[in-house]
């Protein structure tokens, strides 16, 4: 991938790449001038270490990815915060999928805090995480000030919305 500049989308879903694979991919993404469309790492056992590396790559190369899918991994608050920090200045990422991870209220609050500055991301999926009411309320406040985000999924495990999550629809 590092040598093949014609590859624009990377789908490694369900391949067990784990943190080591995410860290290796982040190394490629961080190289200046490298732009990828979609990076799909669903169901790979990627945890906070891999997510932190991907966030670092996004910080170092703010045009490196348009769509990042880390659904159904082991990303927690630390990984979500690293990606959130990168999204403050990342100017190409349009879609971020973090559903079915281990993100709690602190991770959701960090995403909401950082996405206030982002005018590119229009889709954020956080369904089936444990963001609770504090995370749901932080995301609801985000929707009040970020007019660029048009899709936000924060459905709780089992399909029930948190109180904060259920209020999001009323604020739009």
């Amino acid at each position: 991938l590092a040598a093949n500049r014609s590859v624009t989308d990377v789908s490694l879903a369900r391949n067990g790449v784990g943190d080591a694979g995410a860290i290796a991919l982040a190394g490629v993404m961080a190289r200046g001038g490298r732009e990828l469309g979609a990076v799909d790492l669903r169901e790979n056992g990627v945890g906070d270490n891999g997510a932190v590396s991907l966030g670092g790559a996004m910080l170092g190369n703010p045009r490196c990815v348009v769509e990042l899918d880390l659904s159904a991994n082991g990303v927690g608050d630390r990984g979500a915060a690293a990606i959130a920090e990168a999204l403050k200045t990342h100017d190409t990422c349009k879609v971020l999928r973090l559903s079915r991870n281990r993100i709690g209220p602190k991770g959701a609050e960090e995403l909401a805090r950082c996405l206030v500055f982002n005018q590119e991301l229009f889709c954020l999926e956080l369904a089936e995480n444990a963001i609770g009411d504090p995370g749901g309320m932080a995301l609801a406040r985000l929707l009040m000030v970020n007019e660029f985000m048009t899709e936000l999924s924060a459905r709780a495990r089992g399909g029930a919305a948190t109180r904060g999550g259920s209020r999001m629809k009323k604020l739009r």
Side-chain angles (χ1 to χ4, degrees):
L1 185 59
N4 186 341
R5 307 288 281 169
S6 63
V7 173
T8 57
D9 295 330
V10 177
S11 179
L12 296 171
R14 299 177 198 95
N15 274 292
V17 300
D19 280 336
I23 291 167
L25 181 59
V28 173
M29 291 168 58
R31 294 194 177 117
R34 182 63 190 198
E35 296 179 27
L36 294 172
V39 173
D40 184 354
L41 293 173
R42 285 174 292 148
E43 300 178 42
N44 266 301
V46 176
D48 280 337
N49 291 335
V52 166
S53 290
L54 290 166
M58 293 168 73
L59 266 174
N61 181 4
R63 300 190 56 78
C64 67
V65 64
V66 174
E67 181 177 335
L68 179 60
D69 191 343
L70 286 169
S71 299
N73 279 291
V75 178
D77 290 341
R78 189 169 62 93
I83 291 171
E85 191 62 34
L87 288 173
K88 280 168 85 173
T89 57
H90 199 277
D91 61 358
T92 36
C93 191
K94 309 281 188 216
V95 178
L96 176 60
R97 293 190 171 94
L98 292 169
S99 296
R100 296 181 294 152
N101 276 287
R102 296 180 310 155
I103 299 168
K106 293 216 182 293
E109 289 167 354
E110 276 301 299
L111 282 161
R113 184 183 67 77
C114 291
L115 288 174
V116 166
F117 303 100
N118 186 297
Q119 297 182 357
E120 298 299 327
L121 191 82
F122 70 85
C123 177
L124 174 62
E125 293 182 5
L126 284 171
E128 298 185 46
N129 280 287
I131 66 170
D133 287 344
M137 291 304 293
L139 293 169
R141 287 190 298 274
L142 167 67
L143 290 178
M144 292 171 56
V145 296
N146 184 325
E147 63 189 49
F148 302 98
M149 185 167 296
T150 58
E151 299 174 38
L152 173 61
S153 171
R155 181 186 72 252
R157 287 187 174 96
T162 64
R163 276 183 281 179
S166 66
R167 290 183 188 137
M168 285 185 236
K169 292 178 185 172
K170 297 177 188 173
L171 293 171
R172 276 301 221 185

